[in-house]
Amino acid sequence: MAAAADTKLRTLEDMRFDNTFVRELPGDKETSNLLRQVEDALYSLVQPTPTGSEPTTVAYSRDVAGLLDLDPAECERPEFAMVMSGAAPLPGSQSYAQCYGGHQFGSWAGQLGDGRVITLGEVVNSQGQRWELQLKGAGKTPYSRRADGRAVMRSSIREYVASEAMEALGVPTTRALCCISTGDGVYRDMFYNGNVKIEPGAVVCRVAPSFVRFGTFQLPVSRGGMQVGLVKLVADYVIRHHYQHLMEVPEGSARYAAWLREVVERTGRLAGLWQGLGFVHGVLNTDNMSILGLTIDYGPYGFMDSFDPGFTPNMTDFQGRRYCYSNQPQAVQWNCVQLANALFSADLVEKEEAEAALARYAEELYSTYNGKMAAKLGLQSHDQTLTTELLTLMAGSEADWTNTFRALAHIPTADSSSSSSSSSSSAANNNGSSSSSLAAADQEQDEPNLPPLASPEAVVAAAVAAGLPQRLIDALSAEQLQQKPQLIEGWAAWLRVWKGRLAEEGLPEGQRMAMQAAASPKFVPRQHLLQYAIEAAEAGDYSELDRLMQVLERPYDEQPEADAKYSSKPPPEMVRPGVCVLSCSS
């Protein structure tokens, strides 16, 4: 990020801290770093615990350094790795761990808190923007429970990459300044099966305006009594510093209701963006929900390869699939309800005000998602029927989510397969106008199963003969098409209907394709790409991580110079536990 002409880039030693969270809110009176239940407080002062080993910088983000007015050259200093691993103090910082609770997989878990995250403080840049710096993996806190307060290289790289990739994709997110190798080993049981191994330790420095969560408001209410007053204190703090425009609303329930409404709206939009990208968070507990509507706490997340509505990257979620792709919006909505319940129980909002605010979730979710899906199809208005039929075909064909939509962005409207204009009738509305034509497509797809094709080469030949472009064919599962050749005719029929809708709307070809490309990234941080970077970094080679980050900086650009692996489906050897699906072990 280029600094403004009047911006003085700073060194580590002269970064501007203004630590309002610890100055304005009640903290833990106990100063010892012992595991305990912390009451009547929103944080505990705690210092990072050095590992005693030699830390090194794995990667850093020049963009995030720019947000902090930090000279990127500072990130090359040996002292940078010391500070950002927690091995040396940062002048002006006042480190602490937050106290909060949360529902985990739908069940109340009581006090949770920052078990291995230590906030250094709040940096204020030359534009007056406030950025909290957090070290994840810097040692134990009073909230560490039975854990060691550390993090490993694989999880730290995953969080670092996702934080910056989501920003480039246009999704609200916490950011990451750097990933640091501690030089120390950490014991981890990746699959919780008793197979404990020593893994390389690491720390990621997370950056956001605030890391307050839904669970911050839930814990005081759950404890009752005088502690309920903490809810108002932290709500006032968040509004005062992060929703300043709401200070114009009269004090009282009207202000809190307006705030809740905006939190719900931001969260609904966030969920809509996730769904449009095929992103699954994996652990949508209420303590992992940002009060600012940011994607936060990147654990066992994943971008879908083959489209599967039941996809979850979290092995812990396999049985109930509470947080799988198709259930994710409902899970997020449930979390919003828990936040509203906390504010209602603290007498900050009336029941009717909370219900009105919560109603905004579905409106924002569907508006965002429908708008994204329309853009992915090059349409000016969302066609529900057309979209549903496409997703049905994608599921049946095990189509790659990212590559299918990117392939559609390269298909011209005017060719021999688009001559049938009878596929569309009246102008589209939100219920879809292509029903009759898609019914015909359904009939083709639902005819008695055709005999399997002889070979993958026969699949390609049949698909090309049916008018499917090669890029689209490559996005589909050859095995599924070989076993169910009727899918090929289903795709051909759907393409005819879709091209009819495009012709009906009449957008110029270049404009339509550009709209699709801008909504359909070519590059996302796929699980196997992350694994390549992790394995190299664990061996001390950070070049693969650098190359991956360079590609992910421009996810919507074609980047023909990029290695094909960065936009390819995972090879068979990478479709395995620990890569495509993960545990919460980190």
Side-chain angles (χ1 to χ4, degrees):
M1 173 182 288
D6 58 348
T7 299
K8 176 182 179 293
L9 292 179
R10 298 180 178 273
T11 65
L12 285 170
E13 291 77 10
D14 66 0
M15 294 174 71
R16 293 177 53 208
F17 277 92
D18 180 31
N19 303 315
T20 60
F21 194 88
V22 296
R23 187 170 69 238
E24 299 177 14
L25 294 172
D28 185 3
K29 293 180 175 59
E30 175 63 58
T31 58
S32 62
N33 190 0
L34 299 174
L35 299 179
R36 61 186 182 275
Q37 290 291 306
V38 176
E39 300 189 351
D40 303 312
L42 291 163
Y43 64 89
S44 300
L45 295 176
V46 62
Q47 295 295 323
T49 304
T51 63
S53 48
E54 186 72 22
T56 56
T57 300
V58 175
Y60 67 88
S61 168
R62 297 179 67 90
D63 282 354
V64 178
L67 294 176
L68 306 173
D69 292 344
L70 178 66
D71 189 335
E74 292 291 289
C75 303
E76 304 283 352
R77 293 172 56 190
E79 293 87 350
F80 180 79
M82 296 289 289
V83 167
M84 294 304 165
S85 67
L90 184 60
S93 64
Q94 193 172 6
S95 58
Y96 64 91
Q98 281 195 40
C99 180
Y100 49 82
H103 281 88
Q104 298 192 323
F105 293 90
S107 298
W108 178 246
Q111 176 181 295
L112 297 169
D114 288 336
R116 58 173 171 170
V117 168
I118 297 175
T119 300
L120 296 180
E122 305 157 48
V123 172
V124 181
N125 68 15
S126 56
Q127 281 75 47
Q129 297 170 330
R130 187 175 299 276
W131 297 99
E132 289 186 16
L133 304 186
Q134 283 194 343
L135 302 184
K136 185 173 183 177
K140 286 187 175 182
T141 77
Y143 312 102
S144 295
R145 291 169 280 171
R146 295 187 300 272
D148 58 11
R150 299 299 181 186
V152 296
M153 182 71 76
R154 56 180 165 83
S155 64
S156 300
I157 284 180
R158 285 177 55 82
E159 178 137 21
Y160 174 78
V161 173
S163 301
E164 295 308 284
M166 289 291 260
E167 170 69 17
L169 287 164
V171 180
T173 180
T174 57
R175 304 294 297 275
L177 172 62
C178 60
C179 179
I180 306 294
S181 170
T182 63
D184 196 25
V186 179
Y187 288 95
R188 285 293 180 269
D189 181 355
M190 183 188 292
F191 300 115
Y192 305 127
N193 60 3
N195 187 18
V196 178
K197 295 181 179 179
I198 297 180
E199 299 188 45
V203 174
V204 63
C205 179
R206 311 195 299 186
V207 178
S210 173
F211 285 92
V212 171
R213 302 131 187 283
F214 287 12
T216 308
F217 303 87
Q218 291 183 279
L219 184 60
V221 167
S222 75
R223 288 172 164 171
M226 297 297 291
Q227 294 198 62
V228 175
L230 294 174
V231 177
K232 183 178 187 304
L233 289 177
V234 72
D236 289 343
Y237 171 84
V238 169
I239 294 171
R240 184 166 61 250
H241 288 287
H242 304 291
Y243 290 82
Q244 293 178 347
H245 56 286
L246 295 180
M247 295 296 289
E248 299 177 1
V249 179
E251 282 190 82
S253 66
R255 180 182 293 176
Y256 297 120
W259 171 59
L260 175 61
R261 174 190 174 106
E262 187 164 340
V263 172
V264 169
E265 288 174 343
R266 290 187 186 189
T267 307
R269 287 193 291 271
L270 180 66
L273 292 172
W274 288 349
Q275 297 302 109
L277 285 170
F279 171 81
V280 180
H281 182 281
V283 198
L284 284 172
N285 301 329
T286 57
D287 57 299
N288 294 337
M289 296 294 299
S290 162
I291 202 65
L292 301 184
L294 307 175
T295 315
I296 189 174
D297 290 337
Y298 292 98
Y301 68 86
F303 286 80
M304 281 191 295
D305 294 312
S306 297
F307 174 53
D308 173 8
F311 168 71
T312 176
N314 185 357
M315 298 171 65
T316 312
D317 195 30
F318 275 5
Q319 185 172 0
R321 298 193 182 270
R322 177 183 179 88
Y323 299 143
C324 74
Y325 177 78
S326 61
N327 291 338
Q328 185 167 248
Q330 182 179 350
V332 174
Q333 184 177 40
W334 190 89
N335 291 342
C336 289
V337 172
Q338 305 319 305
L339 173 63
N341 284 341
L343 300 183
F344 172 71
S345 298
D347 294 325
L348 297 189
V349 295
E350 301 293 335
K351 180 174 182 289
E352 295 75 14
E353 292 173 323
E355 290 175 344
L358 289 170
R360 293 293 300 154
Y361 175 81
E363 296 171 19
E364 290 296 327
L365 168 72
Y366 288 118
S367 174
T368 302
Y369 175 75
N370 290 347
K372 282 295 181 184
M373 295 307 288
K376 283 175 172 290
L377 296 182
L379 300 173
Q380 298 176 79
S381 59
H382 182 239
D383 188 322
Q384 181 65 54
T385 305
L386 192 68
T387 301
T388 300
E389 292 292 335
L390 172 62
L391 296 180
T392 301
L393 278 168
M394 289 177 64
S397 308
E398 296 183 359
D400 185 272
W401 177 272
T402 301
N403 290 353
T404 297
F405 286 106
R406 191 70 180 188
L408 294 178
H410 289 267
I411 298 177
T413 305
D415 61 23
S416 58
S417 64
S418 63
S419 58
S420 175
S421 61
S422 62
S423 57
S424 302
S425 50
S426 58
N429 54 44
N430 285 336
N431 294 322
S433 68
S434 341
S435 306
S436 59
S437 304
L438 284 165
D442 276 343
Q443 186 175 359
E444 291 184 54
Q445 186 179 342
D446 294 339
E447 286 178 354
N449 288 350
L450 300 172
L453 296 172
S455 66
E457 292 76 17
V459 169
V460 173
V464 170
L468 275 62
Q470 186 62 53
R471 191 161 180 169
L472 178 59
I473 296 170
D474 291 341
L476 311 180
S477 166
E479 181 180 356
Q480 291 299 311
L481 297 186
Q482 184 176 352
Q483 295 301 316
K484 296 180 285 186
Q486 65 272 18
L487 286 170
I488 295 174
E489 288 306 316
W491 276 102
W494 184 89
L495 287 172
R496 288 193 293 272
V497 176
W498 171 59
K499 290 179 178 182
R501 286 283 285 111
L502 294 177
E504 182 181 89
E505 290 202 346
L507 275 181
E509 190 90 309
Q511 182 180 343
R512 186 266 300 176
M513 287 183 167
M515 177 171 67
Q516 287 184 260
S520 307
K522 181 178 179 181
F523 305 99
V524 294
R526 297 173 183 263
Q527 306 286 57
H528 66 291
L529 300 179
L530 292 164
Q531 188 63 23
Y532 292 147
I534 290 166
E535 290 176 358
E538 288 179 336
D541 178 3
Y542 308 142
S543 61
E544 179 57 34
L545 175 59
D546 291 341
R547 287 189 291 270
L548 176 61
M549 293 304 295
Q550 288 176 16
V551 169
L552 294 176
E553 285 178 357
R554 298 183 289 123
Y556 296 99
D557 292 352
E558 193 63 21
Q559 298 190 59
E561 73 284 359
D563 192 310
K565 73 178 182 182
Y566 294 118
S567 58
S568 297
K569 294 181 285 187
E573 66 272 14
M574 297 300 277
V575 182
R576 66 177 194 268
V579 179
C580 57
V581 292
L582 307 116
S583 72
C584 292
S585 170
S586 56

